[in-house]
């Protein structure tokens, strides 16, 4: 473990092995989990201390797009990897009130779409601000700067929402933002800025290796399909 980052009397742990959580959207769960829950019901997982609540409020320091494979259900599929510091929810309350740790989880499909829609809202707001300011700067650079300010100053809430679909009940993760309200949250945002500036932070070797292999496999598949199409023509 690296030395913790201390800010205004609050401590933030940077674990050597990523504090990795899983968003379990199945009808049995609808909550964050960590550890091996294979074959467990949600109640058994909860008794084993492996469930971590139906929401988390956190800073967000990095969001990465990944292509990942988790057989047998997900083969070369897009995911969004989120890194941040929990400030509310069970990911946070497992720690002393004056500390937390850098954590990560993946979102997929509808949950990923919801987060992308929120970021699109940020982009739309930035566009309006750019126009109001006289359109003097490069619009893309301006939008990136404005969106970066949001991530640097807001607390994000990720919460499971129940839905009824074609195959029954399932969950997706909604995303919203709010202002920091406590000294702890302000310190978490200050620490967040230090993590953003560290190019070696927010790297999960397992996910990076999975991403690399999945991209290679996907590229081979695309090349094969293009070759077949060309031969058919």
């Amino acid at each position: 473990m690296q030395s913790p980052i201390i800010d205004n009397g609050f401590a933030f742990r940077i674990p050597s092995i990523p504090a990795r959580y899983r968003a379990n959207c199945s009808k049995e769960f609808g909550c964050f989990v960590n550890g091996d829950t294979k074959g467990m019901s949600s109640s058994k997982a909860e008794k084993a201390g492996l469930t971590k609540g139906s929401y988390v409020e956190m800073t967000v320091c990095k969001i990465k797009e990944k292509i990942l494979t988790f057989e047998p259900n997900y083969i070369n599929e897009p995911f969004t990897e989120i890194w941040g510091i929990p400030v509310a929810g069970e990911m946070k309350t497992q720690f002393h009130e004056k500390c937390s740790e850098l954590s990560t989880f993946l979102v997929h499909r509808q949950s990923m779409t919801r987060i992308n829609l929120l970021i699109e809202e940020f982009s739309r707001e930035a566009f309006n601000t750019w126009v109001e300011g006289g359109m003097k700067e490069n619009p893309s650079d301006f939008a990136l700067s404005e969106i970066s300010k949001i991530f640097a100053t807001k607390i994000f809430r990720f919460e499971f929402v129940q839905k009824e679909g074609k195959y029954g009940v399932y969950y997706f993760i909604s995303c919203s933002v709010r202002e920091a309200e406590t000294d702890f949250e302000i310190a978490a945002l200050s620490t967040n800025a230090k993590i953003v500036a560290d190019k070696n932070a927010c790297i999960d070797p397992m996910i990076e290796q999975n991403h690399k292999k999945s991209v290679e496999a996907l590229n081979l598949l695309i090349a094969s399909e293009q070759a077949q199409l060309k031969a058919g023509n």
Side-chain angles (χ1 to χ4, degrees), residues 20-69:
R20 188 187 305 118
Y21 297 86
R22 188 168 72 258
N24 192 325
C25 293
S26 68
K27 64 180 179 180
E28 282 283 322
F29 281 81
C31 64
F32 292 102
V33 299
N34 67 340
D36 185 5
T37 60
K38 187 176 181 180
M40 287 187 178
S41 65
S42 58
S43 59
K44 285 185 178 179
E46 184 177 3
K47 288 178 182 178
L50 300 179
T51 62
K52 290 295 179 281
S54 61
Y55 80 95
V56 62
E57 293 185 353
M58 66 194 310
T59 68
V60 172
C61 50
K62 293 194 180 178
I63 292 183
K64 303 178 180 180
E65 300 304 317
K66 300 291 183 184
I67 301 297
L68 300 172
T69 295

Side-chain angles (χ1 to χ4, degrees), residues 36-172:
D36 185 5
T37 60
K38 187 176 181 180
M40 287 187 178
S41 65
S42 58
S43 59
K44 285 185 178 179
E46 184 177 3
K47 288 178 182 178
L50 300 179
T51 62
K52 290 295 179 281
S54 61
Y55 80 95
V56 62
E57 293 185 353
M58 66 194 310
T59 68
V60 172
C61 50
K62 293 194 180 178
I63 292 183
K64 303 178 180 180
E65 300 304 317
K66 300 291 183 184
I67 301 297
L68 300 172
T69 295
F70 299 104
E71 294 183 344
N73 297 318
Y74 310 115
I75 308 296
N76 305 328
E77 290 202 25
F79 284 78
T80 296
E81 182 185 33
I82 298 170
W83 292 81
I85 299 170
V87 299
E90 290 184 32
M91 285 190 204
K92 164 64 183 81
T93 56
Q94 64 183 319
F95 292 97
H96 186 278
E97 63 181 9
K98 297 186 73 173
C99 68
S100 188
E101 74 174 355
L102 178 65
S103 304
T104 181
F105 62 91
L106 298 168
V107 293
H108 183 240
R109 293 180 179 170
Q110 189 171 347
S111 301
M112 184 172 67
T113 299
R114 297 280 172 158
I115 292 171
N116 289 338
L117 287 173
L118 182 62
I119 294 174
E120 182 61 23
E121 285 184 25
F122 298 158
S123 179
R124 189 177 299 113
E125 291 170 6
F127 176 72
N128 279 325
T129 303
W130 174 73
V131 171
E132 185 178 358
M135 299 179 281
K136 297 176 183 178
E137 302 175 50
N138 178 285
S140 296
D141 292 342
F142 184 85
L144 285 173
S145 176
E146 290 297 296
I147 292 171
S148 294
K149 289 177 185 176
I150 293 172
F151 282 95
T153 59
K154 305 292 186 183
I155 300 298
F156 285 70
R157 181 182 177 94
F158 299 95
E159 183 171 15
F160 285 82
V161 176
Q162 188 182 82
K163 290 281 286 186
E164 183 79 29
K166 182 178 178 181
Y167 301 105
V169 171
Y170 71 97
Y171 292 84
F172 69 87

Side-chain angles (χ1 to χ4, degrees), residues 12 29 48 51 73 126 131 186 206 224-225:
F12 301 93
F29 281 81
T51 62
N73 297 318
V131 171
I186 292 169
M206 184 191 78
S224 175
E225 291 177 346

